[in-house]
Amino acid sequence: MNDSVATGIVSGTLGAAAHLVFSWLAQAAGISRTTLLRVAAAVVLRNAPPMGPITIITGVTSHFVIGAVFGVGLAWLMAGTGRDWAVVKGLAYGAFLWLVPYSLITPFFVPDVIVRPDAPSALVLLASHLVYGYVTVRTALALRFSTR
């Protein structure tokens, strides 16, 4: 696939799926008190019920759209810098997404009780952003990403 936008959408969507599953597993294991689904829903629906059907539908939809958009950003980064150190670039991109959009901007729109309920949850969300970057960049490479 030589189109950076299409590559970014596909790889970002798959990265978002891994991102979401990781946060769900951490919550199911009792490590985290929140999931990316709830955070994504709260960006759109400020007073969404904790896990009602509207929250789930809105959270899944917004999470995958956000993942696809940021996937395009990573694809453009890779197109501009090449494939060297791709995994490191993917992990750094995931860490950047956790630091800037999630940690610094999201709190202006989402209550802290959802974004930062406790330290283990924050660390799980950092790890899940690293998973997003890793899966997104590996998928982009697997799609025979062109570095024109």
Side-chain angles (χ1 to χ4, degrees):
M1 187 179 293
N2 291 327
D3 182 355
S4 295
V5 174
T7 299
I9 290 170
V10 171
S11 61
T13 301
L14 291 175
H19 193 210
L20 195 56
V21 167
F22 186 91
S23 75
W24 273 339
L25 291 174
Q27 185 188 35
I31 300 168
S32 178
R33 290 182 18 207
T34 194
T35 66
L36 290 163
L37 177 75
R38 185 143 186 242
V39 173
V43 169
V44 179
L45 302 171
R46 194 154 174 93
N47 296 319
M51 273 305 170
I54 298 297
T55 303
I56 293 170
I57 293 166
T58 304
V60 168
T61 303
S62 61
H63 182 73
F64 281 107
V65 169
I66 292 166
V69 168
F70 282 123
V72 172
L74 182 57
W76 285 341
L77 173 71
M78 295 297 294
T81 63
R83 292 186 224 176
D84 295 341
W85 295 87
V87 171
V88 173
K89 290 175 192 174
L91 293 171
Y93 192 76
F96 171 81
L97 293 178
W98 177 78
L99 179 64
V100 178
Y102 175 74
S103 297
L104 298 178
I105 297 172
T106 302
F108 288 108
F109 305 103
V110 179
D112 271 352
V113 69
I114 295 172
V115 175
R116 295 186 199 111
D118 58 7
S121 298
L123 290 175
V124 164
L125 293 174
L126 168 59
S128 70
H129 280 81
L130 296 175
V131 167
Y132 170 81
Y134 178 80
V135 170
T136 301
V137 80
R138 294 297 297 184
T139 304
L141 292 173
L143 292 172
R144 293 183 193 92
F145 185 75
S146 174
T147 56
R148 291 188 229 167

